[in-house]
Amino acid sequence: MGKKLKNTGLVGLGVVAGIAVSLQFSAMAQRPADPALPLEELRQLADVFGLIKSDYVEPVEDKKLLTEAITGMVASLDPHSAYLDKKAYAELREGSQGKFVGLGIEIGQSEDGYIKIVAPIEDSPAYRAGIKAGDLITRLDATPVKGLSLDESVKKMRGEPHSKVSLTVLRKDEPEPLVFHITREEIHQKSVKGKIVEPGYAWLRIAQFQEPTVDDLAAKITELYKQDPQMKGLVLDLRNDPGGVLQGAIGVAAAFLPRDAAIVSTNGQLPDSRQTFYGRPEYYLLRNEGDILAKLPAAVKNVPMAVLVNTGSASASEIVAGALQDYKRATIIGTQTFGKGSVQTIRQLTADTAVKLTTARYYTPNGRSIQAKGITPDLQVEENADGDGLNALRLREADLSKHLTNDRDQEAAKAKRDEAEEQLRILMAERKRKPLEFGSGDDFQLQQALNHLKGLPVQTAKQDSKLVQADPVPAKTPLKK
């Protein structure tokens, strides 16, 4: 029962076109094959292929058999390696570019098995139709969403431009289900948003690392400094950020660190997977259009910072948090991160298919491996004043079958989280709580981060049951190279 509850009680990572990996793109290199091919095993594969073709109850296409064989071979390696067929490859490229054809909503799985609206994207078809945060989708056209995975639901909401889909929605305080008929459009998602939360203090959120993220970050920082040139503190929010394009993570960290600071290093089997990435334009620019970070206000290199993370912070967001933590450039606040410390490289096979292959582990500037461990916050602060809510039920990298092990530290023993009574208690409590909007006045973790930046007491994790008196954060935070 415990495992069943865990599966139905998890909240998704705020999916729009989620890429929970650090991606690098490259063409398939023409490397010589190992001459010692396992001929006996290859004969067995050919024998099984022939047996299915001759004896299976109904005919099976050759292409289907071979595609499934490739899919199974790659998927057997680890949770993040995969064969990408034409549709999957197109969706991945769309997600990394920050655009896709759909409705424009961030979604997660509700504890009831429905699709919960985390937030509609501003000026999207869903936003204009009246979809609201907290709504529960029960049907997509005539299909009930119960029993569908989050990925299956996303695929049903995607489609061709100008095509239509009907959403049946349950809304709190509405006696009857609501039906919305929405026309799909190309959605251009901004991965960065921010605002001045109070005089002298800004909140900057990165939802996902995409190709435009560094440009979006630079534009938003410039805008915030125009609004308040005397910035006293900045909160960088990476909660529920599942990762994305590696160059985006390098650029974000580089915005706050010295130009030549090492941001992340990687190590794998191939020589080109053993390298260090620095805070220089050649490591984070995807187009030769000039260094956008060079135009940032100089004060951004020294403004006191706090970084918010949680169980949903994975991969590229862990690279940023780990780098800023190692240089003591920012205080990391929140709960233990997901622990995905591996790099997936996209090796293109044909014009529209590819293999997403784990090619390296990545390490923080101090040589820490995050794989299956994650980033431990400097200040443990849970999502709410009375606990961590549904985050306590989320799976982490170390919970995934066939996960890559940590090669630097012994993995910490996993806490036993399958107790049915505790899960039920959390689920019942969360049903009564209104959906959290990151950056709002009700955002407990954000308020604690602001307290820290002001030198006020911070309420740490419930199990600690204590207030931490923060030392006043200096106007200038020294950087270490």
Side-chain angles (χ1 to χ4, degrees):
M1 182 177 179
K3 290 189 180 297
K4 183 179 179 182
L5 279 170
K6 175 173 285 187
N7 291 336
T8 58
L10 297 178
V11 172
L13 294 180
V15 175
V16 177
I19 310 173
V21 293
S22 294
L23 295 177
Q24 292 181 304
F25 292 82
S26 73
M28 176 66 82
Q30 297 300 318
R31 301 185 185 91
D34 185 344
L37 290 173
L39 296 180
E40 183 61 34
E41 286 76 12
L42 289 174
R43 288 193 190 98
Q44 289 182 16
L45 178 63
D47 289 344
V48 172
F49 179 89
L51 189 64
I52 293 172
K53 292 290 292 181
S54 62
D55 291 15
Y56 188 63
V57 63
E58 57 188 29
V60 184
E61 293 181 359
D62 292 353
K63 183 177 180 180
K64 174 179 171 58
L65 283 176
L66 293 172
T67 298
E68 292 297 335
I70 295 170
T71 300
M73 178 169 55
V74 179
S76 70
L77 300 172
D78 65 73
H80 307 295
S81 294
Y83 169 72
L84 305 175
D85 60 17
K86 182 177 180 179
K87 186 174 183 179
Y89 188 34
E91 288 176 353
L92 183 141
R93 284 182 293 179
E94 285 179 348
S96 67
Q97 293 166 357
K99 60 183 181 180
F100 58 94
V101 175
L103 309 181
I105 48 177
E106 297 181 27
I107 64 173
Q109 198 93 43
S110 82
E111 60 270 19
D112 299 314
Y114 297 126
I115 300 300
K116 178 183 286 186
I117 304 296
V118 176
I121 297 172
E122 189 172 346
D123 200 34
S124 67
Y127 181 89
R128 296 193 297 270
I131 295 292
K132 296 181 179 180
D135 286 350
L136 296 177
I137 302 174
T138 62
R139 282 181 178 270
L140 296 169
D141 289 328
T143 305
V145 301
K146 273 195 173 182
L148 296 180
S149 69
L150 208 57
D151 285 343
E152 289 171 328
S153 297
V154 168
K155 288 177 181 178
K156 287 187 174 295
M157 285 184 271
R158 298 284 182 84
E160 295 298 318
H162 312 302
S163 61
K164 293 185 177 182
V165 62
S166 296
L167 272 59
T168 303
V169 167
L170 296 179
R171 180 174 292 170
K172 190 177 181 180
D173 300 328
E174 290 287 347
E176 300 291 333
L178 306 175
V179 179
F180 296 88
H181 303 283
I182 305 176
T183 301
R184 298 178 178 95
E185 296 177 6
E186 184 172 87
I187 307 298
H188 293 265
Q189 183 195 8
K190 288 286 186 182
S191 62
V192 180
K193 61 182 179 180
K195 61 183 178 181
I196 302 296
V197 289
E198 57 183 80
Y201 296 91
W203 170 75
L204 192 65
R205 172 158 175 76
I206 301 175
Q208 185 177 324
F209 290 89
Q210 302 167 336
E211 290 180 14
T213 294
V214 179
D215 289 345
D216 292 347
L217 176 85
K220 182 57 68 174
I221 289 175
T222 301
E223 176 189 322
L224 292 173
Y225 267 92
K226 284 182 179 178
Q227 294 178 37
D228 193 340
Q230 305 303 318
M231 198 83 71
K232 299 176 185 177
L234 175 66
V235 179
L236 178 62
D237 191 346
L238 300 177
R239 291 172 295 178
N240 287 4
D241 182 331
V245 178
L246 179 61
Q247 288 90 338
I250 296 168
V252 169
F256 305 105
L257 292 171
R259 178 183 176 89
D260 292 327
I263 306 297
V264 63
S265 61
T266 60
N267 188 35
Q269 184 177 186
L270 295 173
D272 62 4
S273 68
R274 303 168 199 155
Q275 55 184 313
T276 300
F277 299 85
Y278 297 90
R280 303 176 195 147
E282 60 265 32
Y283 290 101
Y284 56 77
L285 290 183
L286 291 166
R287 296 175 298 278
N288 188 21
E289 298 177 354
D291 183 9
I292 189 69
L293 297 185
K295 302 175 184 177
L296 288 176
V300 78
K301 294 289 188 181
N302 294 300
V303 64
M305 285 184 66
V307 178
L308 290 175
V309 296
N310 66 2
T311 312
S313 304
S315 196
S317 54
E318 292 173 295
I319 289 176
V320 174
L324 296 177
Q325 187 178 53
D326 278 5
Y327 285 101
K328 302 188 186 303
R329 175 65 185 88
T331 301
I332 312 301
I333 297 175
T335 53
Q336 194 82 8
T337 61
F338 185 78
K340 190 194 163 297
S342 60
V343 176
Q344 280 65 48
T345 301
I346 307 303
R347 305 288 193 191
Q348 194 167 349
L349 300 175
T350 67
D352 49 19
T353 64
V355 168
K356 182 178 69 173
L357 196 64
T358 299
T359 55
R361 291 179 175 89
Y362 65 71
Y363 306 88
T364 72
N366 286 350
R368 292 183 293 155
S369 173
I370 297 168
Q371 176 59 25
K373 183 177 181 181
I375 295 291
T376 301
D378 301 305
L379 293 175
Q380 293 273 351
V381 175
E382 294 177 335
E383 186 169 281
N384 308 296
D386 58 353
D388 207 28
L390 291 172
N391 287 308
L393 301 182
R394 280 178 167 170
L395 296 174
R396 296 178 66 245
E397 176 79 10
D399 298 311
L400 301 180
S401 176
K402 301 177 184 176
H403 71 269
L404 199 66
T405 59
N406 189 302
D407 64 329
R408 294 284 170 91
D409 299 308
Q410 185 174 357
E411 290 180 25
K414 290 180 287 185
K416 188 177 181 181
R417 295 184 292 176
D418 282 339
E419 291 85 351
E421 288 186 9
E422 175 64 10
Q423 290 193 35
L424 283 172
R425 183 195 67 76
I426 293 172
L427 292 174
M428 293 302 293
E430 291 306 304
R431 283 183 180 181
K432 302 174 184 177
R433 201 188 306 273
K434 69 177 184 179
L436 172 63
E437 180 185 349
F438 290 154
S440 68
D442 297 325
D443 190 338
F444 177 73
Q445 289 173 316
L446 174 58
Q447 294 306 313
Q448 301 313 305
L450 292 172
N451 285 346
H452 172 72
L453 291 173
K454 297 173 186 176
L456 299 175
V458 173
Q459 183 173 334
T460 56
K462 186 180 178 185
Q463 57 265 32
D464 293 339
S465 299
K466 65 183 179 182
L467 291 175
V468 174
Q469 177 66 51
D471 294 328
V473 178
K476 298 286 187 180
T477 302
L479 296 173
K480 297 182 179 180
K481 293 187 179 182

